[in-house]
Amino acid sequence: MKKYDFIIAGGGMAGLSLAYYLTQSPLRDRSILILDRDQKNRNDRTWCFWENGAGPFESIMFRRWNKVSFHGTTHAGPLDLGSYQYKMLRGIDFYAFVQKELDKFPNIERSQATINRIKDTPQGGFVIANDEPYIADYVFDSTFMLRTNDPDRHNLMQHFKGWVIKTEKPCFDPKQPEIMDFRVEQHGDCRFVYIMPFDTNTALVEFTLFNDKLLTDSEYDADIQQYITTYLNTGAFQIAETEYGVIPMSDTPTEENPSDHIVRIGTSGGHTKASTGYTFQRTQRYLRDIVANLATTGKPNRKSPWFSNRFKLYDSVLLNVLEKNRHPAADVFTRFYAENKPVNAFRFLDEDTRFLDEIRLFTTMPWWPFTAAFFDVLRRKFVG
């Protein structure tokens, strides 16, 4: 049984990002094994996010925008991003870039394998993949499935389907994406479309929902088709690519460090923001912290100030508002972006605000639905 310094279980966004950051650190010479059942050789997803300044994957960004558009209940038009940019990264570009970087390091091995088991032992983290045993000082696991059926927690999903369409008529503004358009039937949920333009005749049009029930393929397709027919003057169009995904929006606690030699990363480690489903940027931030701690202390345990736990409470309150339909989601997000500077909204979602900033933001929300949600969250957490 071969032993490694690190095993990365799961070679998706989180696993490959971790491997990349390790190569950029003093740990670049450590023996690393990456296990994943897929080859990561197709464009299976797209990440869109805001960022202040240049990030570690700046050279492979597919698009960057200095302003975005929003269409809600009382506001329709551009939002001023200030020093932020809204960015788009295609999965295939990310996979190819990281894999090319990893190829420079002979101490990094990759194996296409199905992971059968991960457990902690006194000797290290133990992994069985394709019935072969492996062991490492630390196993970084992005395959752990979250428990999303706790009745005392909130368990919604962000699920989406998107089409990359090529249109007969020029109908997109390449300089301005639409990050949220709520002009779709809500059906008591949170439903919106976003549009990421590549050029005047090409864009990703994605239909997104926050709720607890998935749709059928034909239902997603029907809503995308209806939006295009109603709001986009495309003329004839062709579907060049499709993508689909489901991201948990759950406040069920997840242990990033469940044992001495196992560290959970990505969604498995709680890196997805429960109230929005945003994962990419938070995962990058947390992984950099893990690698920095590992390089300086020999242990990967990421520490955060106690008071930062208040953001988990905020997440639970918003999830409660959405789950209980206490107020139309379209109006909640309209108030959030239209009555606050987008820069402050982004900082809040990145959990970089001060408490006084957060109080100011809360005053723009409908007070009774959020107050009721706050007390219901406390009841669930402490009474059950």
Side-chain angles (χ1 to χ4, degrees):
M1 179 171 58
K2 187 172 180 179
K3 183 172 183 179
Y4 296 84
D5 291 311
F6 311 127
I7 293 176
I8 299 175
M13 181 269 289
L16 290 178
S17 296
L18 173 63
Y20 175 75
Y21 292 131
L22 287 169
T23 67
Q24 306 301 301
S25 78
L27 304 169
R28 62 179 62 88
D29 61 344
R30 302 298 176 87
S31 59
I32 301 171
L33 173 64
I34 304 172
L35 297 166
D36 195 272
R37 64 184 179 185
D38 298 322
Q39 292 185 335
K40 301 301 179 188
N41 57 1
R42 62 187 181 90
N43 191 50
D44 58 350
R45 66 196 61 226
T46 302
W47 297 288
C48 295
F49 53 92
W50 54 83
E51 191 167 34
N52 191 349
F57 303 111
E58 200 66 29
S59 64
I60 55 170
M61 287 299 152
F62 187 66
R63 292 291 184 276
R64 302 176 191 83
W65 295 280
N66 295 314
K67 61 179 179 178
V68 298
S69 184
F70 177 92
H71 205 121
T73 53
T74 60
H75 175 88
L79 299 175
D80 181 8
L81 302 187
S83 60
Y84 282 82
Q85 284 188 321
Y86 199 76
K87 302 180 180 183
M88 180 180 185
L89 176 59
R90 286 161 50 92
I92 189 63
D93 297 332
F94 171 80
Y95 302 141
F97 171 80
V98 175
Q99 289 168 358
K100 183 178 179 181
E101 290 298 309
L102 299 185
D103 285 341
K104 300 175 183 177
F105 295 86
N107 53 298
I108 299 178
E109 299 178 28
R110 281 173 284 171
S111 177
Q112 187 176 353
T114 298
I115 296 170
N116 309 115
R117 186 181 183 188
I118 298 174
K119 72 172 185 176
D120 198 28
T121 72
Q123 292 75 37
F126 182 76
V127 179
I128 296 178
N130 282 2
D131 298 323
E132 290 291 328
Y134 305 93
I135 196 167
D137 292 337
Y138 289 105
V139 173
F140 297 93
D141 180 19
S142 65
T143 67
F144 176 77
M145 298 298 294
L146 301 182
R147 184 169 62 94
T148 57
N149 58 358
D150 186 342
D152 292 326
R153 297 290 177 171
H154 305 88
N155 298 292
L156 303 181
M157 296 177 289
Q158 178 189 144
H159 47 114
F160 52 87
K161 186 171 185 180
W163 295 348
V164 174
I165 61 172
K166 295 182 177 294
T167 66
E168 178 185 18
K169 299 179 180 180
C171 59
F172 303 115
D173 180 356
K175 296 181 179 180
Q176 187 166 295
E178 185 93 43
I179 62 167
M180 278 184 159
D181 189 339
F182 284 97
R183 291 177 298 173
V184 292
E185 287 292 331
Q186 295 296 296
H187 299 290
D189 295 326
C190 176
R191 301 182 178 211
F192 58 91
V193 168
Y194 70 82
I195 302 174
M196 299 293 116
F198 302 175
D199 54 49
T200 57
N201 292 77
T202 313
L204 170 63
V205 181
E206 194 141 290
F207 176 54
T208 303
L209 303 87
F210 297 171
N211 65 11
D212 60 352
K213 293 182 177 63
L214 301 179
L215 305 184
T216 65
D217 261 353
S218 61
E219 288 174 316
Y220 292 110
D221 290 343
D223 280 291
I224 300 172
Q225 179 68 61
Q226 184 176 4
Y227 179 88
I228 293 172
T229 301
T230 306
Y231 299 112
L232 300 178
N233 184 22
T234 62
F237 69 86
Q238 294 180 334
I239 301 173
E241 297 178 26
T242 64
E243 67 175 39
Y244 171 79
V246 181
I247 301 171
M249 298 173 65
S250 173
D251 58 1
T252 299
T254 301
E255 292 184 272
E256 188 176 87
N257 303 103
S259 58
D260 290 340
H261 303 99
I262 295 174
V263 182
R264 294 174 184 156
I265 59 175
T267 297
S268 299
H271 297 177
T272 296
K273 188 166 178 64
S275 60
T276 61
Y278 290 120
T279 304
F280 186 85
Q281 277 293 72
R282 283 166 60 89
T283 297
Q284 303 306 316
R285 176 181 294 193
Y286 294 168
L287 291 178
R288 289 195 292 266
D289 288 346
I290 288 172
V291 172
N293 287 348
L294 192 58
T296 56
T297 70
K299 295 184 178 182
N301 305 65
R302 184 178 61 86
K303 297 180 180 180
S304 57
W306 173 85
F307 193 51
S308 66
N309 287 326
R310 69 190 186 278
F311 289 101
K312 295 181 180 180
L313 174 61
Y314 303 159
D315 287 341
S316 294
V317 170
L318 179 56
L319 287 174
N320 190 278
V321 171
L322 297 176
E323 180 188 80
K324 299 292 186 180
N325 296 315
R326 297 185 187 276
H327 192 82
D331 189 58
V332 169
F333 284 101
T334 300
R335 292 179 185 226
F336 182 74
Y337 283 113
E339 298 185 24
N340 298 281
K341 291 183 178 180
V343 169
N344 294 336
F346 290 161
R347 286 176 182 156
F348 174 75
L349 293 175
D350 285 339
E351 302 182 2
D352 288 335
T353 45
R354 298 170 300 177
F355 185 61
L356 185 58
D357 300 323
E358 294 146 24
I359 295 298
R360 293 193 186 104
L361 187 147
F362 297 155
T363 63
T364 65
M365 294 292 102
W367 72 272
W368 173 244
F370 275 78
T371 300
F374 173 76
F375 284 107
D376 192 31
V377 167
L378 295 183
R379 179 191 62 78
R380 290 193 190 200
K381 286 182 180 291
F382 300 115
V383 179

